[in-house]
Amino acid sequence: MWSEVRSKLSEALQANVQDASLDNKEDELTNDRKNYPLSMLAIHGGPRLRLLLITFQLLEMEVGNISGSSELVDGIRWLQVSTTLINGLIEPAFVKWIEEEQALENGQINENLMKMIRSKTKEDDRIFNRFNRFGKSELYLDLLFFLRFGSARSDSYFDAKFLAEHGARILEDLIISLADVIASIYLELMSVDGDMSTEVVSSGLALCSLSTRELQKLRNEVAINWWLRQYFESVVSMYEDRFELYVLCRKKSEKPVDNQAERTNWWMLAFRKPSAPALLDYVNISPFSLPARRTKELRALIGWRYYFSLFLELSDIAMPFVRAAVSKVSAAVSYFWVSMIGRSLGLIFSGIRQSLGWR
């Protein structure tokens, strides 16, 4: 699993270095932001890939550093270990990412920016609770245990076969979710209503080219989408026995040819076969529905989400009757318009013809 995700990110980052045009697929990014708004989609392609790779590397290192054996780690202990690991991953990943981007851009570290980042990430250390609201906490717990010990937990929601088959996609979703939290914090700091001083923002990194209006629009869309997913879409996913994941999807892109070299060696074109265009691998973030039985999570619903689940069940029962009633009402309305009003118009037209003496 680790090697599969690592190869995707490494190849995509290498392709981005070789072809800068991969960083500017504006039409594709615009469609992505409309279909599934993520804070990370506001970040340029190169920095976004580096953020994903740094998050992946730190997660792999932290999981490998977990001590103990699978027999000694019970459910409560593993919950504490995993929660601490995920919550503690945001700050070092954020700091390392910003340091690398600053080194690539101007070769120096902005201490004011780093200080603000550290204070901001310490304010909210409940990242794991966000995943719990989406119903993915147990999925991530089982995945991390499987990655560390190579087997399923004794009280696991999912067996080892399921994790071995779909573990790479779940790992990609976890990495994307963590990186998106980091991107959202960065955009919040750099936004017009952020805590960052104007001087720091003005001298900040060029990681996002969106205008202030577009950035605020994206942040609002992300907030609304997050609220809808928490209270509605996550419950629907449970009832339909699926997880909505974000995965890294490989795509091919042709490497642009060197036009100057082609013009210089034009005389060679008649004596050689046309070469096939070089293809570069790049990745984009795509939604993926993972089928999985989620009865246990449905039984644990409380509060508003529980009442919404009852509404879904009631709507499934009542919907056939509603459709039948609407169909009958539509038929009655159609009959009224065709028979009554049509007949009245016919009589009026006949009266006009008779008054004019038409036959």
Side-chain angles (χ1 to χ4, degrees):
M1 296 180 194
W2 295 113
S3 59
E4 180 180 348
V5 180
R6 186 189 301 107
S7 64
K8 279 186 180 181
L9 293 174
S10 300
E11 292 171 4
L13 189 57
Q14 183 179 4
N16 185 272
V17 173
Q18 296 179 13
D19 183 9
S21 65
L22 296 177
D23 207 10
N24 298 313
K25 294 182 176 293
E26 295 299 333
D27 295 337
E28 186 172 330
L29 282 178
T30 301
N31 293 331
D32 290 345
R33 287 194 287 262
K34 290 180 180 178
N35 296 331
Y36 39 95
L38 291 171
S39 299
M40 194 165 38
L41 296 179
I43 308 297
H44 289 314
R48 183 169 65 246
L49 288 172
R50 284 188 286 271
L51 172 59
L52 289 169
L53 186 58
I54 289 172
T55 306
F56 167 82
Q57 291 171 343
L58 291 179
L59 179 63
E60 183 180 17
M61 182 182 67
E62 292 296 330
V63 171
N65 290 337
I66 297 176
S67 59
S69 62
S70 58
E71 292 81 7
L72 300 177
V73 181
D74 57 11
I76 298 177
R77 172 62 177 163
W78 184 249
L79 174 62
Q80 295 173 348
V81 170
S82 301
T83 303
T84 303
L85 186 151
I86 290 178
N87 289 338
L89 196 68
I90 299 300
E91 181 181 349
F94 198 169
V95 171
K96 185 176 180 181
W97 175 54
I98 294 297
E99 287 178 347
E100 285 197 9
E101 295 303 324
Q102 287 183 330
L104 290 173
E105 183 173 324
N106 49 36
Q108 57 184 359
I109 306 299
N110 190 323
E111 294 299 334
N112 292 330
L113 176 60
M114 304 308 296
K115 186 184 299 184
M116 183 64 69
I117 288 173
R118 290 188 176 92
S119 63
K120 188 65 178 178
T121 52
K122 289 178 181 178
E123 290 178 4
D124 188 4
D125 58 350
R126 297 165 295 178
I127 307 302
F128 193 80
N129 291 340
R130 301 187 186 186
F131 302 149
N132 192 29
R133 294 168 188 169
F134 294 152
K136 294 182 180 180
S137 58
E138 292 294 335
L139 184 66
Y140 292 156
L141 287 176
D142 291 344
L143 172 69
L144 294 177
F145 191 94
F146 183 80
L147 290 173
R148 176 60 183 88
F149 301 108
S151 60
R153 294 188 296 160
S154 58
D155 56 346
S156 174
Y157 274 45
F158 310 100
D159 57 19
K161 180 181 178 181
F162 176 87
L163 295 172
E165 182 179 356
H166 304 289
R169 294 190 180 96
I170 303 172
L171 178 59
E172 290 172 0
D173 182 74
L174 175 57
I175 294 169
I176 292 171
S177 300
L178 291 172
D180 194 61
V181 171
I182 296 173
S184 66
I185 297 175
Y186 173 79
L187 296 181
E188 181 181 353
L189 290 173
M190 293 298 176
S191 64
V192 66
D193 54 351
D195 300 330
M196 194 71 69
S197 63
T198 306
E199 293 77 9
V200 176
V201 173
S202 301
S203 61
L205 299 170
L207 303 180
C208 174
S209 61
L210 296 180
S211 65
T212 301
R213 182 177 182 180
E214 290 175 332
L215 179 57
Q216 292 299 103
K217 180 181 178 182
L218 176 62
R219 291 182 62 213
N220 292 331
E221 289 175 350
V222 170
I224 294 173
N225 181 66
W226 187 87
W227 185 82
L228 290 175
R229 286 178 60 196
Q230 177 182 351
Y231 291 104
F232 299 99
E233 295 178 8
S234 61
V235 180
V236 174
S237 299
M238 291 180 190
Y239 250 102
E240 296 179 356
D241 289 325
R242 57 182 170 83
F243 283 101
E244 289 300 327
L245 307 180
Y246 290 114
V247 299
L248 300 174
C249 182
R250 269 197 179 106
K251 289 192 175 182
K252 297 287 186 180
S253 177
E254 291 187 5
K255 183 179 180 180
V257 297
D258 189 351
N259 294 328
Q260 182 64 32
E262 292 290 340
R263 287 194 297 268
T264 303
N265 300 326
W266 61 270
W267 54 273
M268 296 179 60
L269 296 177
F271 302 99
R272 69 176 183 182
K273 295 181 180 179
S275 58
L279 297 179
L280 298 176
D281 284 323
Y282 75 98
V283 297
N284 65 343
I285 299 172
S286 303
F288 177 79
S289 294
L290 176 63
R293 185 68 64 182
R294 305 186 65 182
T295 306
K296 189 174 181 180
E297 295 169 272
L298 276 173
R299 292 173 178 171
L301 288 177
I302 58 174
W304 166 251
R305 301 175 77 196
Y306 171 73
Y307 293 117
F308 181 66
S309 68
L310 294 181
F311 170 77
L312 288 177
E313 189 171 352
L314 178 62
S315 64
D316 291 338
I317 297 173
M319 194 55 66
F321 299 100
V322 173
R323 289 197 184 99
V326 170
S327 178
K328 291 183 179 180
V329 171
S330 299
V333 171
S334 298
Y335 175 80
F336 174 77
W337 282 101
V338 173
S339 300
M340 304 300 294
I341 298 180
R343 185 177 300 174
S344 300
L345 292 175
L347 292 174
I348 293 173
F349 183 69
S350 298
I352 294 174
R353 290 180 60 187
Q354 291 177 2
S355 63
L356 295 176
W358 294 352
R359 297 292 181 183

